Amino acid sequence: MVRKLKTIAGLGWSRGPSSAQETEGSAANLAIALAQSEAAILWSTDADGRIASIHAPALAALGVQLADVSGKRITSVFEDAPSDSAISQQRSLSLKLSARAKITNHIVRCVNKNEEGAGVWLQLSGFPHYLGDQFVGYLGHAADVTHLIVDHQTKMLQEKFDEVTNFYNAAHFGKRFDAAFKSLAHAERPCALVVMEIDRFQHACERYGIGHMDCVLAEMGNRLRSALRHRGEVGRIATEQFRIFMPDVDDRGDLAEFAEHAGKLLSQPYRVHGRRIQLSVSIGIAMAPYDAVTTTELVDAANLALRSTKQSGGGSYSIFSAELAEEASRLVRIEQELEGAMERGEFALRYAPLISAGSNEVCALRAEVCWNSPELGEVLPDIFWPMIESSGASGDFGEWMLRQACEDASAWPGNLSLAISPPRGFLKDPDFRKIILAAASDASFDRARIELEISEEFLSADAEMAKRLGDDLDAVGVRLVASDFGVGNSAIALLADFSFKRVEISPRFVRDWVLQPERTNAILGAIVSIARSFGVPASIREVDALDVLDAVIASGIEVVHGGVFSAPLDQAQIVDEGSVVLQTFRPRGFARQRAERMTVLRKIGLVHDDHYYEVLLKNISRTGAKIAGIAGVPVGTEVVLDLGNGQLAVASVVNTDEKSQGVRFEVPLVSDGNGGLMTRHRISPYTLAEAGLPVASLSGDHEALRAWKDAKKGKPSFVQLQLTHL
């Protein structure tokens, strides 16, 4: 080709002196020769790097006109491949031109698009041309390698990316995760790993088909990108699982907010070819170096948090804590004891009175399951109910609930309805209608008094199944109640499609009321207004304080139940002569709603004036705690609570007596997504390692944490009490 260029241009290669006329003539001859040549792509520049000529037949393929590029710098017409691509050159085209170096097989992209609107890739070769000792420009040739580059890029994409979601595939994400983790650890910077799994994905694939679910996954990927906002990298690790690596994150509150926002966003309905598909996601989160100091440990910790979420029923998130491993072992034991518990007669029903807000009289009783295990004692429904929901025996359990409740309710006063919320497996039983008919008939109980509670999320997840359920209930005369109402986006559609006896607003709004009363009041009022426009009354549960009761009644809610009126009742309390259910209930309880508190009873530390005390944590909420174990503490004293595993909470004493104190946190705690509370930040293991100890994840026996506690030996200001006497 070099020889051909010489021939076409008619130029000699002497480095001797040459006149201006000779140079101009040579350039003219070159332009004419190139224009007449049938060669693929031939090009030349002047001494300043401006295009002197391009072989005319090739211009159309490049999507340019000669007049558009003539006189322009070649680097403005052809650009280098991106520096992070596999085809980028070590030295740029501009650098080679300025150095007057030989150009060999340099890959460039034409800035203009071709007629099909696609980019054209060329492989340029060329050499500097001299007339005598004077540099006059470049002569070169090029080949169109677009198809080779496109094939290469496609192959590279397939090797790195998942074709459905365009996230990294498992292999490439693993490489990037390992490299990024090592880099951050070397720089002593934190990071987080979020593991996200689609609940009941295989069931959805069987129901809707792989094609529909691929469309859902593609849209789910777009939503996840929107929620993430470039704060991390995502990999699709398995059919239904994603991992998100987030660098420079050490605020668990931010992670909780992200998980909650992403969970809500991904759980909104998907429209695919006219079908409405709704899914939920479970999320597990762990952080390095707090929870792990290697990639393997971090993955294990995040997976343990994910498993905790799924064991709690899914559709939520859990943030790893040191207690999760212990909790996981405990849950395994509970699952083992749960098997056969129904046959052993360990379950019983209690009934929570539903109170008419206008008269304070009982209008219905809601069945609630209690489990008193000989081995475990009383197990809370929040723990065992998700296990029942996910077990293969949920249908049988639902039938037992309905039969037992109908038998009990047949002895109640005739004006009381029976509200019952069976597990989902029972609702999916093909003999659902027959079981209801048999249960009511065997107990001689009027089916019209049964109020079957089904969650808004369940009704909106599968329109066909929901319609079938509604038709079955109408056919047997059972009334339908939408529970956990108002947290999704399907409220109006459900009210239009179903005939509800009432809607039970999600108790989440009761829990939110203490933190955002004005906002919660507005939401409650809006939900009640929408329901009333369809002629449906609203109810709410878990109301325990008088100020919340006043607020929900003011919003228009007509039926209330919770501790403010009565705890759940045994059957004997209901049917005894002079039964409480025949009385008018007078509200009682706390005057003001407090942040949800958990009774814990465990030892923690308290630091004041550089002295470390041991105290007993009696209960805790987002905003404060009750402690015991020191005396002589005045109101207003600032202290630091050591909640364990590097969690330090600054607090001030707001009330005190001889043995205990109530404290308010300077910064509210955040939810771990699994029923617990945690501080937003922790002591960094990198900071602890400055004491000369190896970097290790935080745990109760962390050597540096023990050394930190032992160093707090300042003069005590308060009296340390013996915790065994409290």
Side-chain angles (χ1 to χ4, degrees), residues 100-114:
R100 298 177 184 175
K102 183 179 179 181
I103 301 171
T104 305
N105 299 333
H106 191 101
I107 303 297
V108 295
R109 180 173 56 190
C110 184
V111 173
N112 293 68
K113 306 290 185 181
N114 61 16

Side-chain angles (χ1 to χ4, degrees), residues 6 51 67 91 132 193 233 242 315 401 405 430 432 488 536 554 568 580 627 653 703 711:
K6 292 180 183 178
I51 294 176
R91 300 172 67 192
L193 180 66
E233 294 188 344
F242 304 95
M401 276 187 70
F432 169 74
V536 179
V580 293
I627 59 173
V653 177
E703 188 175 352

Side-chain angles (χ1 to χ4, degrees), residues 491-498 500 534:
I492 296 177
L494 291 177
L495 286 166
D497 292 342
F498 294 93
F500 292 115
F534 287 89

Side-chain angles (χ1 to χ4, degrees), residues 27 30-31 34 43-46 50-54 66 69-72:
L30 175 63
L34 288 174
W43 58 274
S44 69
T45 71
D46 63 15
R50 292 183 175 86
I51 294 176
S53 62
I54 295 181
L66 182 59
V69 299
S70 182
K72 288 188 176 181

Side-chain angles (χ1 to χ4, degrees), residues 328-338 371 375-376:
S329 299
R330 190 172 75 91
L331 290 175
V332 169
R333 188 183 176 199
I334 291 174
E335 285 181 332
Q336 292 171 344
E337 291 297 323
L338 184 62
W371 180 23
E375 297 295 327
L376 304 171

Side-chain angles (χ1 to χ4, degrees), residues 115-273:
E115 293 179 355
E116 289 76 29
V120 176
W121 291 90
L122 300 178
Q123 188 178 66
L124 291 184
S125 294
F127 45 85
H129 174 53
Y130 292 86
L131 289 178
D133 291 331
Q134 184 178 3
F135 172 70
V136 295
Y138 268 83
L139 294 174
H141 62 92
D144 187 343
V145 292
T146 303
H147 67 289
L148 296 176
I149 298 299
V150 170
D151 289 347
H152 174 76
Q153 290 176 331
T154 301
K155 182 179 179 181
M156 293 298 294
L157 287 175
Q158 291 172 344
E159 291 177 354
K160 294 182 179 180
F161 295 93
D162 170 61
E163 62 181 359
V164 177
T165 62
N166 287 326
F167 290 138
Y168 292 125
N169 58 31
H172 191 65
F173 178 84
K175 293 177 182 177
R176 294 186 66 88
F177 172 47
D178 289 342
F181 185 94
K182 291 177 182 177
S183 176
L184 290 170
H186 179 74
E188 297 188 351
R189 292 159 56 191
C191 61
L193 180 66
V194 180
V195 181
M196 187 176 292
E197 191 165 287
I198 305 171
D199 299 323
R200 296 177 287 278
F201 183 76
Q202 293 304 320
H203 170 75
C205 288
E206 293 170 3
R207 179 171 181 79
Y208 300 108
I210 299 298
H212 279 64
M213 294 311 297
D214 279 350
C215 293
V216 169
L217 284 169
E219 173 59 23
M220 184 174 284
N222 293 333
R223 295 184 188 182
L224 184 53
R225 288 185 187 88
S226 173
L228 191 58
R229 292 182 297 181
H230 306 290
R231 289 179 291 177
E233 294 188 344
V234 186
R236 187 182 178 194
I237 306 305
T239 305
E240 72 279 14
Q241 188 180 104
F242 304 95
R243 288 181 188 168
I244 307 170
F245 180 69
M246 303 175 71
D248 298 316
V249 176
D250 64 355
D251 188 330
R252 292 186 288 187
D254 287 347
L255 286 170
E257 290 171 4
F258 164 73
E260 188 166 349
H261 172 63
K264 288 180 179 178
L265 191 62
L266 300 184
S267 299
Q268 298 305 314
Y270 299 84
R271 290 284 182 182
V272 180
H273 304 311

Side-chain angles (χ1 to χ4, degrees), residues 373-387:
S373 166
E375 297 295 327
L376 304 171
E378 186 171 354
V379 184
L380 296 177
D382 288 348
I383 297 174
F384 71 78
W385 188 256
M387 298 178 183

